[in-house]
Amino acid sequence: MTPLDRTRSGTETSARLHAWLLFLTTLATLATVLGLAFAGHTEAAVAVAVAGGAAGAVQITVHVRR
C-alpha cells in the first residue's frame, strides 16, 4: 500500500534551481536562433527553435486527490 506521507519531495532551493535552468536554457536557445538567423542559416535556426521549444514545453505536474 502507498504511504500517506505528505513530506515535500523537493526543496525551495531545487525549485529555484529548476527555474534558473529553464530561464538559462531559453535564453541560450534564443541567442542561438538569433545568431543562426542573422548569419543566414534559416533552416538551422528553425530546427534549433523547434527543438528548444519542444524541450521547454515538456512539464509534468501530478496532483493526487483522495
Side-chain angles (χ1 to χ4, degrees), residues 3-50:
L4 297 176
D5 184 12
R6 292 184 174 220
T7 305
R8 296 171 66 183
S9 61
T11 63
E12 188 175 327
T13 304
S14 65
R16 282 190 193 148
L17 179 63
H18 182 266
W20 274 107
L21 285 174
L22 182 60
F23 172 74
L24 291 176
T25 303
T26 303
L27 189 64
T29 302
L30 181 60
T32 304
V33 168
L34 289 175
L36 287 170
F38 286 133
H41 303 289
T42 55
E43 295 85 11
V46 170
V48 170
V50 169

